[in-house]
Amino acid sequence: MTEVIDSMLDLMRRLPPTRTEENVSALIKLAPDYADDLLGSVDQPLQIKTDRATGKDYLTCDYNRDGDSYRSPWSNEYDPPLEDGTAPTPKLRKLEIAANEAFDTYRELYYGGGVSSVYLWDLEDGGFAGVVLLKKSVFQPIHPHFTSHVPHLALNPTTPQEPLGSWDSIHVFETAERGRQAHYKLTSTIMLHLVTRNGSEDTANAERSESKTESKSSDRWKRDGEISLSGSMTRQTEQDWPIQDSSTHISNTGRMIEEMEIKMRNMLQEASASSLLIGPERHL
């Protein structure tokens, strides 16, 4: 069993990051008995669902999945409905609600949009673990006079030539209390996808007017000067922080995640520049 999973993971590392979902789906079809192990080992781009009870968006991943259903952090309900789905204890659920509110503010301050979700669960040794998910996507160019006030992420295009892309952050942490201290282990993964188009709208319109019967002009504009950059980065850290009550865990993990994202963003900036010289797709 271990050899099969190791082979699958080794293959995934050699395949283009932009086709992770497609490749995982193909491997599951080839070896359905290893689906849960593969899904739990491969980080995929986060998907967005809408909570039917509250109307709020939330992110889905393996940590809030039970079978084919996903739990919303806002209503604590599964979609599709699941009667006996896994859920945190009442005490931990209270902390989960507070954590979602805190990181929703963090998301707005640092990302200027996007979606965030926090999920917590108990550990067998008495501690607890959780995952903080953050996603920001840009699907199309917006008004050229728009300027982002968030320097942390430059995913908001300010001109028609600015990049389109997505940023996915997955921060998994474990917490163990030791008296008035708590030990935290954080594993952070960031998946980045950027597409830069150097063509202009004026050029595309001019090409379209040359031949109304041909559709090659618009396709040519999409291909000429287009660069696709995708990759992922994972880092770990362990720290000890003092605690006063359960709510202190939110500020402690928040500080660690903030520091980790800033550090990884700087590393991604350097890696992204060098990867343009050796290839458009790689694991960073």
Side-chain angles (χ1 to χ4, degrees):
M1 176 177 177
T2 303
E3 294 181 357
V4 175
I5 292 297
D6 289 342
S7 298
M8 287 182 172
L9 296 178
D10 184 59
L11 180 61
M12 288 298 302
R13 282 190 288 267
R14 300 170 187 273
L15 296 173
T18 52
R19 304 181 65 179
T20 298
E21 295 174 275
E22 179 182 344
N23 294 330
V24 168
S25 178
L27 287 175
I28 290 177
K29 290 181 179 179
L30 290 174
D33 293 340
Y34 300 94
D36 289 338
D37 295 297
L38 184 62
L39 290 172
S41 303
V42 177
D43 292 315
Q44 301 185 65
L46 302 171
Q47 301 299 315
I48 301 175
K49 291 179 69 70
T50 301
D51 189 322
R52 298 180 181 181
T54 64
K56 292 184 176 181
D57 290 337
Y58 64 97
L59 297 171
T60 65
C61 66
D62 193 59
Y63 295 100
N64 69 320
R65 180 177 66 89
D66 194 333
D68 295 327
S69 300
Y70 293 91
R71 183 173 67 88
S72 166
W74 306 114
S75 64
N76 203 32
E77 297 178 357
Y78 276 90
D79 183 21
L82 192 64
E83 295 183 359
D84 57 347
T86 303
T89 60
K91 180 181 178 180
L92 197 60
R93 172 59 183 162
K94 183 178 179 180
L95 184 63
E96 185 182 75
I97 293 174
N100 273 281
E101 294 175 351
F103 278 98
D104 191 50
T105 301
Y106 171 90
R107 171 199 55 76
E108 187 60 36
L109 290 173
Y110 274 97
Y111 288 74
V115 182
S116 65
S117 295
V118 182
Y119 302 100
L120 305 180
W121 60 92
D122 291 294
L123 297 176
E124 295 181 356
D125 59 3
F128 72 93
V131 61
V132 177
L133 309 174
L134 298 155
K135 184 180 185 69
K136 177 67 179 290
S137 298
V138 173
F139 299 99
Q140 61 184 1
I142 58 179
H143 196 278
H145 294 294
F146 178 88
T147 56
S148 174
H149 64 282
V150 184
H152 185 62
L153 290 176
L155 289 182
N156 287 315
T158 56
T159 70
Q161 291 76 40
E162 286 294 313
L164 307 178
S166 63
W167 172 289
D168 295 73
S169 294
I170 303 174
H171 303 280
V172 182
F173 64 89
E174 295 182 3
T175 303
E177 295 185 7
R178 301 171 179 174
R180 294 183 177 273
Q181 291 271 336
H183 180 75
Y184 301 92
K185 180 179 180 181
L186 175 67
T187 302
S188 297
T189 298
I190 290 179
M191 289 173 283
L192 179 66
H193 175 60
L194 293 174
V195 176
T196 301
R197 293 169 181 168
N198 293 327
S200 66
E201 292 184 4
D202 293 338
T203 302
N205 291 333
E207 290 179 349
R208 293 190 189 98
S209 64
E210 291 179 0
S211 176
K212 295 182 179 180
T213 59
E214 296 182 1
S215 60
K216 295 181 180 180
S217 59
S218 59
D219 294 337
R220 188 186 307 119
W221 177 70
K222 292 180 180 179
R223 293 194 302 267
D224 291 348
E226 182 176 288
I227 298 176
S228 176
L229 174 65
S230 299
S232 63
M233 174 183 288
T234 300
R235 294 294 183 271
Q236 290 185 336
T237 184
E238 295 188 37
Q239 297 180 16
D240 292 312
W241 289 94
I243 55 173
Q244 298 177 349
D245 51 42
S246 60
S247 63
T248 310
H249 292 302
I250 299 177
S251 58
N252 289 344
T253 55
R255 185 182 298 110
M256 292 178 65
I257 289 173
E258 180 182 24
E259 293 175 352
M260 180 65 81
E261 286 209 330
I262 292 175
K263 178 181 178 180
M264 295 180 72
R265 180 201 59 175
N266 293 333
M267 297 174 69
L268 280 169
Q269 288 177 339
E270 298 177 1
S272 298
S274 62
S275 66
L276 290 175
L277 301 177
I278 62 176
E281 294 184 346
R282 63 180 294 201
H283 290 280
L284 304 174

